Amino acid sequence: GESVGLHLPTLSVQEGDNSIINCAYSNSASDYFIWYKQESGKGPQFIIDIRSNMDKRQGQRVTVLLNKTVKHLSLQIAATQPGDSAVYFCAEKGTGTYKYIFGTGTRLKVLA
Amino acid sequence: DTGVSQNPRHKITKRGQNVTFRCDPISEHNRLYWYRQTLGQGPEFLTYFQNEAQLEKSRLLSDRFSAERPKGSFSTLEIQRTEQGDSAMYLCASSPGDRGWGETQYFGPGTRLLVL
């Protein structure tokens, strides 16, 4: 199928290693953030979210870190697996709106 | 699986023709969103509905684009007088609409439009 994000930044990691994907967001008033995973030919799939009053949230094998001072969001994936290969997007929501702004995305390649 | 569905999955049309896409959200989800995604980019917000009310529209949604959600369930996105620049993936998402501060959006598989 047609690929998503042919010219995206790419992160290549060895299977079993940890991955860190970074995102700089634009609006200091954003109050909610989501990380999505998108595989080729599919819609984005929710991974983990975080509110602006938090700086860290953990899920299964994933952790999101939020640094509001520098408007930076990161996604950490522990023990990266081949099935984690995809394009990852961060999205932010501004206060008082339900309009979500997506970042440009990062392609994660897991090397066997 | 009763996730978000979109039809058609693919649409090829000639420049100048009108096209309409349909989105069926997850049952009882109050909020419905439309996005456009081009190769190498993240989804771009187009509009969203709270039940049948269209509450916000992006400036990307020119006067050739119109979206409706007449009964607060399914939604349609129509593009009139299509242009080659309209070629993209059109994504629909829905969310429960019961949280004030933000909530997970569930995306459909998208409709890929190619304007020749």
Side-chain angles (χ1 to χ4, degrees), chain B residues 22-25 29 32 51-52 68-75:
Chain B
R22 176 176 171 130
C23 171
D24 286 88
H29 274 194
L32 185 147
N51 298 312
E52 67 274 11
E68 295 182 342
R69 195 184 182 197
K71 297 182 180 178
S73 56
F74 74 91
S75 176

Side-chain angles (χ1 to χ4, degrees), chain B:
Chain B
D1 184 355
T2 56
V4 178
S5 62
Q6 293 187 245
N7 289 288
R9 293 292 310 277
H10 302 274
K11 178 71 177 179
I12 299 174
T13 191
K14 293 182 179 179
R15 184 165 51 94
Q17 297 294 306
N18 299 341
V19 294
T20 299
F21 308 142
R22 176 176 171 130
C23 171
D24 286 88
I26 294 173
S27 179
E28 299 184 353
H29 274 194
N30 295 328
R31 294 197 184 111
L32 185 147
Y33 309 78
W34 284 100
Y35 292 86
R36 181 175 69 186
Q37 185 175 31
T38 54
L39 286 176
Q41 301 294 323
E44 295 175 287
F45 172 85
L46 292 178
T47 188
Y48 91 91
F49 292 83
Q50 175 81 33
N51 298 312
E52 67 274 11
Q54 188 174 18
L55 296 186
E56 195 162 349
K57 292 170 57 174
S58 166
R59 63 180 184 276
L60 294 173
L61 215 65
S62 75
D63 57 3
R64 295 186 298 107
F65 288 69
S66 62
E68 295 182 342
R69 195 184 182 197
K71 297 182 180 178
S73 56
F74 74 91
S75 176
T76 58
L77 177 68
E78 181 183 16
I79 308 174
Q80 296 181 326
R81 305 181 303 281
T82 52
E83 302 173 355
Q84 289 182 327
D86 297 331
S87 296
M89 174 78 87
Y90 290 85
L91 292 163
C92 176
S94 70
S95 64
D98 56 4
R99 276 166 37 173
W101 49 266
E103 56 192 10
T104 303
Q105 296 179 311
Y106 297 87
F107 280 84
T111 295
R112 183 165 296 285
L113 172 66
L114 177 60
V115 182
L116 301 177

Side-chain angles (χ1 to χ4, degrees), chain A residues 2-6 8 31-32 34 36 38 41 43-44 46 49 51 89 93 97-100 102-104, chain B residues 9 31 33 35 37 39-43 45 48 56 58 89 91 99-105 107-109 112:
Chain A
E2 191 170 358
S3 296
V4 172
L6 294 178
L8 293 172
D31 61 3
Y32 178 65
I34 307 177
Y36 286 96
Q38 189 172 26
F46 172 87
D49 59 358
R51 294 180 66 177
F89 293 101
K93 184 191 81 66
T97 178
Y98 288 95
K99 175 180 177 180
Y100 289 77
F102 282 72
T104 54
Chain B
R9 293 292 310 277
R31 294 197 184 111
Y33 309 78
Y35 292 86
Q37 185 175 31
L39 286 176
Q41 301 294 323
F45 172 85
Y48 91 91
E56 195 162 349
S58 166
M89 174 78 87
L91 292 163
R99 276 166 37 173
W101 49 266
E103 56 192 10
T104 303
Q105 296 179 311
F107 280 84
R112 183 165 296 285

Side-chain angles (χ1 to χ4, degrees), chain A residues 3-30:
Chain A
S3 296
V4 172
L6 294 178
H7 304 292
L8 293 172
T10 298
L11 174 66
S12 297
V13 298
Q14 291 290 331
E15 182 179 355
D17 287 352
N18 296 335
S19 303
I20 299 176
I21 300 172
N22 297 304
C23 175
Y25 64 91
S26 58
N27 185 358
S28 58
S30 291

